[in-house]
Amino acid sequence: MKADPAAQRRLLDLQAIDTALGQLAHRRGALPELAEIADGTKQLTGLSDAVAAARADVDDLGRDVRRLEMDVEQVRNRATKDQQRMQAGGLPSKELERLQHEVDSLARRASSLEDDELELMEKREEAETVLAAAESAKAAVDTTVVAATERRDAAFVEIDAETDKRGAERAAIVPNMPDDLLKLYERIRSTSGIGAALLRARRCEGCRLELAGSDYAAIKKASPDEVIRHEECGRILVRTDMSGL
Ligand SMILES: [Zn+2]
């Protein structure tokens, strides 16, 4: 294949742009924030469940405490009524005795219910501590995810702007390239990542190998518009002032 030497040299610009575009795409996909966000989001699911479970415990215990409070109140009201009846007087001694007995029994019942209530209130306090810890763990991960998302978005903006810039540079070069040369370049690049490499002194910058003496001698003799490929790696070897020919 033959191609204008200037077009061959432009392959190096194209290759530099394509290398940069490849690095940008890799950077975009490998941002540490992506793993951080995925990990945090997964953690948040578990933490949300923990918060919901802890809140349900607090609510349940709160309901139990209120129920016991009502029970205590009922017992105390009953005892007050009994006492009022006793104080009103005019009751037969047997009835007085029965009421006194009931008042004593109600007092024991109230005291036992209050013990239960106290125990439940302690449990509710413990559940509130568990809830607060779950909420604060969730809030911490939330904050981490929000911050990582902001950093990711900022990096995306920067990478996308650079990608657009490089894309525009590429679009300016491609229409001025001979079709067959461009096709060859793309074909090699699609398999090995690098389609065209500078011949620097006697070294192929694509594969970093030094050219064999006979290959180098052949290149020295080749016409400038001849498209030369490195025997070893198959890449297009571009000759410039730095090739030492
Ligand atoms: Zn090579």
Side-chain angles (χ1 to χ4, degrees):
M1 186 188 292
K2 288 190 186 299
D4 172 15
Q8 291 190 44
R9 285 194 293 275
R10 277 202 301 278
L11 277 181
L12 292 178
D13 297 334
L14 195 58
Q15 181 62 70
I17 291 166
D18 283 335
T19 299
L21 282 169
Q23 284 163 350
L24 286 164
H26 178 263
R27 217 182 113 204
R28 200 182 199 282
L31 284 174
E33 285 81 7
L34 296 178
E36 211 177 319
I37 291 163
D39 186 44
T41 306
K42 206 196 282 174
Q43 279 186 54
L44 280 178
T45 310
L47 288 168
S48 296
D49 290 349
V51 167
R55 186 166 291 138
D57 281 350
V58 169
D59 289 349
D60 286 351
L61 287 163
R63 239 188 325 271
D64 292 348
V65 167
R66 280 193 297 282
R67 193 177 303 133
L68 271 177
E69 274 169 0
M70 275 168 12
D71 288 352
V72 170
E73 206 185 312
Q74 238 174 0
V75 170
R76 291 227 178 276
N77 285 344
R78 176 78 185 271
T80 306
K81 262 183 207 155
D82 283 356
Q83 272 161 340
Q84 281 166 351
R85 279 182 68 196
M86 287 162 75
Q87 280 157 10
L91 290 172
S93 65
K94 207 158 188 192
E95 180 63 2
L96 268 175
E97 204 178 305
R98 192 191 67 76
L99 283 173
Q100 185 56 56
H101 186 74
E102 191 173 88
V103 166
D104 293 346
S105 149
L106 286 168
R108 282 195 300 276
R109 172 89 184 120
S111 157
S112 152
L113 284 171
E114 277 167 345
D115 287 349
D116 291 350
E117 189 188 341
L118 211 62
E119 205 176 302
L120 274 181
M121 285 167 87
E122 274 169 20
K123 276 190 183 157
R124 185 179 58 182
E125 234 168 78
E126 282 164 25
E128 279 166 348
T129 306
V130 170
L131 174 60
E135 278 174 337
S136 102
K138 181 174 176 284
V141 176
D142 255 329
T143 307
T144 307
V145 170
V146 167
T149 304
E150 279 170 8
R151 288 200 308 279
R152 177 203 64 186
D153 291 346
F156 275 177
V157 167
E158 188 197 316
I159 291 168
D160 292 348
E162 183 68 14
T163 301
D164 287 349
K165 192 181 132 210
R166 294 294 187 162
E169 287 169 8
R170 192 179 204 284
I173 293 175
V174 164
N176 301 316
M177 295 295 284
D179 270 351
D180 52 354
L181 183 65
L182 190 63
K183 267 191 195 134
L184 177 64
Y185 163 80
E186 294 291 16
R187 187 162 59 76
I188 302 167
R189 193 172 70 88
S190 71
T191 56
S192 72
I194 297 173
L198 171 66
L199 174 66
R200 189 193 290 273
R202 295 176 62 144
R203 195 177 294 277
C204 164
E205 289 216 320
C207 65
R208 306 268 158 201
L209 285 179
E210 190 140 321
L211 264 67
S214 54
D215 291 347
Y216 190 65
I219 290 171
K220 262 188 150 168
K221 270 189 270 173
S223 142
D225 63 354
E226 191 69 41
V227 176
I228 292 165
R229 295 178 63 181
H230 187 197
E231 276 298 311
E232 308 287 334
C233 69
R235 296 185 174 101
I236 300 167
L237 270 178
V238 178
R239 289 155 289 170
T240 72
D241 298 344
M242 287 180 282
S243 303
L245 295 165

